[in-house]
Amino acid sequence: MHPDLSDDPPPLHARHAQHTLHAGHIAPASPDPRARRPGIALVSISRLQTLCETVAPRYTDRARFYAVREGYGAAVAALQTYVESGAVDVVLAAGSNGAYLRENLSVPVVTVKVNGFDVLSAITRATTTWPDQPLGLVLHETVSRELDDLGQLLKIRIHQRAYRSADEVQHAVDTLAEQGCKVIIGPGMACDFAQQAGLEHVFLYSLGAVEEAFERSVELARVSREKESKRMRLNTIVAHMRDGVAAFDDNGQLEAVNPAMFTLLGVDAERVATQGARQFELTRKLGPMLRELSESGVAIEERLAHIDGRAFITSCVPIYEHGMRAGAVVTVQDAQMAQRIDRSLRTTQRPKHLVARHELSELVGDSPQIEKVRRLARAGAPHDATVLLTGESGTGKELVAQGIHNASARRGNPFVAFNCAALPEGLIESELFGHDEGAFTGARRGGKAGLFEIAHTGTIFLDEIGEMPAAMQTRLLRVLQEREVMRLGSGRAVPVDVRVIAATHRDLNALVAEGRFRADLYFRLNLLQVTLPALRERRDDIRLLAATLLSRNAAQYKLDMGASGPILQVLSPLFERYDWPGNVRELENLLVRAAIYLDNDAVRHAQTLHEVFPELQRLRPGSMPSHEVRREVRREAMHGDGLGRDVVTRETAIAALQASGGNRAAAARALGIGRTTLWRLMKSAT
């Protein structure tokens, strides 16, 4: 009869209703391994089948049963297709047949076990039916010495023989018959041979033993089905991973591998379709890691390795079962892919404060000094060379650093600024290089990446580099040389791709001579040098710079840009005669102060101007008197156009010349006009 593998087969309570798998012919069915109930094959070649048919209906709600009426090799052939397809999860058999199937099938085999009660029950039935007859007991694998003692005690003649194969069953029955045994107790095959020899027989297996075997089979099948489902899910997940994954047992034999491993390692999966070929190829490429793990016992995690000339990030970690090492799993990741993912994450998740906001075009001024700064910065920006920015405080070194970053190929990647004079030495080390968990008391759980790691693929701006402690100078020099950092408390160096721009207002040459700054670090930093001029060195740029700064701060401070002309006029003496110790930063502060405090009432009184601008008292000789300033501001406020350029009169020009001590260039700059215009105004009265 052909096997019927429907989802809901009829119970095995009658011969015509059984699902029989014949060795000679297997129906072309398509078993569904995803069926809810597990499948159990009942392999019996004699009288055990009747007991199985009696017990099976009780379990049909928990399992699907298939009867196999062949044994040994024929049973293996009948079951092979259904085992491979997943229709059968467990096989139930008995005696030597079960032992043979266990060695030749890939699924668990549960055997019906004969216990002491079964043996005593069979002996009792035999002695009751055939008293005073010698008994022959046929057992699988071993005989029971206790039964010999029991036979002497009960005065029962019992002879035992053990068997391991079907041929040995026949021999055991024949031997017992020769010894005078008239009754044979044993498995179904022994009973069949005894019947053929004209001997009486008692079937050894009890209904209870079969029920206990069914319980074990159903539970084992359920667990097996759950494990198989988990394995299939895991295999599906691993098969769709981009990383290569391969599992080996403790002897180095390949157990599982996903397609990505073949692709990454450049192995032709079709050419290495056999297990042996796969084992050879993967062992050749991954063998060094497996040997290292076997010898050291220490997991290899995220190591950069070269396999056949390609760079990979590899890991090799042990697998433990019940506390014992049972194998290893190797993962391989394309290093270039990891770099792309890393760049993407750093770009998309970069905090806003790590973005460079300024461009080199924002450097305001037309003076030769500032033109030189722009020229040098633009020339050095495309290259990854270290840049040293020098100049007084407030000259715009960070603006230039951001402009260089944005003019380079690193634009869009992190720009990290750090002031080397802002923190104590211990904190500087932690901020720049990071720390691992537990590196010091209060260290962040899980550790913390340093600024060099955060700036990876971008630029780090080290302001006030001249204030860096000596110990930190040594660590910084190593980072610049090796291009890798080591966190506090860590023994592993992390490679970084960072461009360094340093800035200082100190004379590093003098610090080197005094032994306060490492000469080798200075020469490492001083590859491209850009010196920013002080504001007093480019006075021709001040008025344009002031107008730009006023416009830039208008929205932030809610300034009235219509008053920019009077404001610039009030501050013109400072433009010409003030030394600007705070440079551009000080100019910006004065402009905002003027825009906030000055109005028509404030500029009428000299004492008010000096209260608002105490800097007026520090002007160099020859500056415009305060009453002249007030008069000109009032005039500009009443008649000017906001810039104080097109409404300058001859009287204003004369006053400016007097205030400047007859210096026409200074007077023209104070009025915001050219020298030719000033000359024309002076000639207009003649």
Side-chain angles (χ1 to χ4, degrees):
M1 179 177 288
H2 294 188
D4 178 7
L5 298 179
S6 62
D7 287 341
D8 191 16
L12 285 172
H13 57 78
R15 183 163 185 165
H16 68 275
Q18 295 169 4
H19 302 270
T20 307
L21 308 183
H22 298 280
H25 178 72
I26 297 179
S30 300
D32 183 3
R34 298 168 297 177
R36 180 176 59 85
R37 291 172 297 165
I40 299 175
L42 307 177
V43 180
S44 58
I45 54 178
S46 65
R47 305 169 189 241
L48 182 64
Q49 182 178 356
T50 302
L51 291 179
C52 290
E53 292 176 355
T54 302
V55 175
R58 308 174 193 174
Y59 295 92
T60 53
D61 61 332
R62 297 169 56 186
R64 305 165 71 220
F65 295 96
Y66 307 94
V68 180
R69 297 180 182 178
E70 287 80 21
Y72 303 97
V76 170
L79 285 168
Q80 197 65 45
T81 300
Y82 294 93
V83 169
E84 292 176 354
S85 67
V88 170
D89 301 285
V90 172
V91 173
L92 187 149
S96 60
N97 193 21
Y100 180 90
L101 297 176
R102 183 179 289 115
E103 293 179 356
N104 292 276
L105 290 175
S106 59
V107 294
V109 176
V110 173
T111 57
V112 181
K113 296 181 179 179
V114 176
N115 54 38
F117 175 80
D118 294 331
V119 174
L120 291 176
S121 177
I123 292 174
T124 300
R125 293 199 307 272
T127 55
T128 301
T129 306
W130 302 282
D132 301 326
Q133 292 292 333
L135 306 179
L137 181 61
V138 180
L139 298 174
H140 181 242
E141 291 188 338
T142 59
V143 297
S144 174
R145 298 304 176 189
E146 292 80 3
L147 285 178
D148 291 337
D149 298 336
L150 181 63
Q152 294 177 9
L153 180 63
L154 299 177
K155 298 181 180 181
I156 301 173
R157 289 174 291 172
I158 302 177
H159 300 277
Q160 300 183 64
R161 287 292 180 270
Y163 72 94
R164 288 184 172 81
S165 66
D167 294 338
E168 291 182 1
V169 175
Q170 175 75 65
H171 179 70
V173 172
D174 293 342
T175 302
L176 291 172
E178 292 174 358
Q179 293 177 346
C181 295
K182 301 300 183 182
V183 180
I184 302 298
I185 301 172
M189 190 179 295
C191 293
D192 292 342
F193 288 139
Q195 185 176 5
Q196 294 173 10
L199 302 175
E200 303 296 341
H201 54 272
V202 175
F203 187 46
L204 182 60
Y205 295 107
S206 67
L207 186 64
V210 174
E211 288 176 343
E212 190 271 338
F214 263 76
E215 283 289 343
R216 288 188 289 120
S217 298
V218 170
E219 180 60 20
L220 183 59
R222 182 188 65 81
V223 174
S224 178
R225 177 61 61 92
E226 290 180 355
K227 287 184 177 179
E228 179 64 16
S229 296
K230 291 180 180 179
R231 187 187 68 82
M232 291 178 65
R233 285 198 301 270
L234 181 60
N235 285 346
T236 301
I237 294 171
V238 172
H240 287 82
M241 290 177 62
R242 290 186 177 180
D243 296 350
V245 180
F248 298 84
D249 65 16
D250 203 35
N251 295 319
Q253 295 298 311
L254 179 67
E255 291 185 330
V257 60
N258 70 337
M261 180 67 83
F262 293 122
T263 302
L264 288 171
L265 298 184
V267 176
D268 186 348
E270 294 183 359
R271 184 176 59 84
V272 294
T274 65
Q275 183 73 5
R278 292 181 175 186
Q279 178 77 39
F280 175 79
E281 288 290 343
L282 295 182
T283 301
R284 181 176 66 84
K285 296 174 182 290
L286 305 177
M289 280 188 295
L290 294 170
R291 287 192 293 272
E292 180 180 342
L293 176 66
S294 178
E295 294 170 359
S296 67
V298 179
I300 302 170
E301 296 184 1
E302 297 181 349
R303 173 186 295 179
L304 183 64
H306 290 82
I307 302 175
D308 293 342
R310 289 185 58 195
F312 297 98
I313 298 174
T314 59
S315 296
C316 183
V317 297
I319 301 173
Y320 288 94
E321 292 180 359
H322 307 293
M324 300 293 292
R325 194 170 70 189
V329 59
V330 179
T331 60
V332 173
Q333 183 180 19
D334 186 358
Q336 293 183 349
M337 176 65 72
Q339 290 176 350
R340 287 194 293 270
I341 294 173
D342 179 65
R343 284 195 297 269
S344 177
L345 289 175
R346 290 174 185 272
T347 301
T348 57
Q349 298 183 5
R350 185 172 66 250
K352 293 182 178 179
H353 67 278
L354 301 182
V355 176
R357 300 181 302 275
H358 299 294
E359 307 280 350
L360 289 175
S361 59
E362 296 178 41
L363 283 172
V364 178
D366 300 321
S367 63
Q369 296 92 331
I370 205 68
E371 281 290 349
K372 179 181 178 182
V373 170
R374 274 195 292 262
R375 184 175 67 255
L376 292 177
R378 285 173 177 155
H383 309 282
D384 271 346
T386 304
V387 180
L388 178 62
L389 303 177
T390 61
E392 297 179 6
S393 295
T395 52
K397 294 188 288 294
E398 183 166 356
L399 185 149
V400 174
Q402 292 189 22
I404 291 175
H405 172 79
N406 280 333
S408 72
R410 296 176 182 266
R411 179 188 184 96
N413 293 337
F415 178 86
V416 179
F418 179 73
N419 191 312
C420 300
L423 295 174
E425 180 176 341
L427 292 181
I428 290 178
E429 187 173 18
S430 173
E431 284 295 310
L432 285 178
F433 308 115
H435 63 262
D436 273 357
E437 181 176 350
F440 52 85
T441 303
R444 179 184 297 180
R445 186 173 183 180
K448 174 187 174 184
L451 295 182
F452 272 97
E453 289 185 62
I454 294 173
H456 182 64
T457 71
T459 302
I460 187 168
F461 174 56
L462 301 176
D463 200 7
E464 303 294 351
I465 191 70
E467 312 300 327
M468 177 169 280
M472 293 302 98
Q473 294 178 28
T474 303
R475 289 208 62 179
L476 175 61
L477 178 62
R478 179 169 180 81
V479 172
L480 295 178
Q481 290 174 337
E482 305 298 333
R483 294 296 170 176
E484 60 184 23
V485 296
M486 187 177 295
R487 294 186 183 183
L488 288 175
S490 173
R492 184 180 65 175
V494 179
V496 290
D497 173 20
V498 176
R499 182 181 193 174
V500 176
I501 300 178
T504 182
H505 69 283
R506 306 284 296 274
D507 185 350
L508 293 186
N509 267 316
L511 294 179
V512 170
E514 296 170 7
R516 297 167 59 188
F517 199 86
R518 292 183 62 103
D520 46 3
L521 176 58
Y522 170 67
F523 294 126
R524 177 72 67 172
L525 293 173
N526 193 29
L527 183 55
L528 301 179
Q529 187 180 96
V530 179
T531 301
L532 277 74
L535 190 57
R536 61 182 172 275
E537 297 173 358
R538 55 180 187 117
R539 292 186 183 275
D540 291 345
D541 294 334
I542 294 179
R543 179 171 289 274
L544 178 59
L545 186 58
T548 303
L549 292 173
L550 269 175
S551 175
R552 184 181 299 169
N553 288 283
Q556 179 180 356
Y557 295 103
K558 299 180 181 179
L559 305 180
D560 180 11
M561 289 306 297
S564 61
I567 290 172
L568 296 178
Q569 191 65 33
V570 166
L571 297 181
S572 12
L574 294 175
F575 297 165
E576 295 298 327
R577 304 290 185 180
Y578 189 51
D579 284 336
W580 299 103
N583 293 294
V584 178
R585 187 180 297 117
E586 184 180 16
L587 171 62
E588 185 172 17
N589 291 343
L590 288 179
L591 290 167
V592 173
R593 188 196 312 168
I596 292 174
Y597 286 138
L598 289 183
D599 56 28
N600 290 334
D601 293 329
V603 298
R604 292 174 183 172
H605 307 286
Q607 62 271 24
T608 303
L609 282 175
H610 285 89
E611 289 173 0
V612 175
F613 302 107
E615 292 84 358
L616 288 171
Q617 300 178 14
R618 298 196 295 272
L619 295 179
R620 289 185 286 114
S623 61
M624 182 182 291
S626 60
H627 67 278
E628 293 291 343
V629 172
R630 290 198 309 276
R631 185 184 69 185
E632 295 307 322
V633 170
R634 284 197 299 270
R635 181 175 299 166
E636 294 295 333
M638 291 169 26
H639 305 292
D641 64 349
L643 295 176
R645 294 177 179 173
D646 296 334
V647 294
V648 178
T649 64
R650 183 172 184 276
E651 289 74 13
T652 306
I654 294 173
L657 277 171
Q658 292 174 348
S660 62
N663 188 324
R664 293 191 177 187
R669 284 196 298 269
L671 294 171
I673 61 177
R675 294 178 62 180
T676 303
T677 304
L678 177 63
W679 178 81
R680 190 182 299 111
L681 285 171
M682 299 301 297
K683 294 286 291 181
S684 63
T686 58

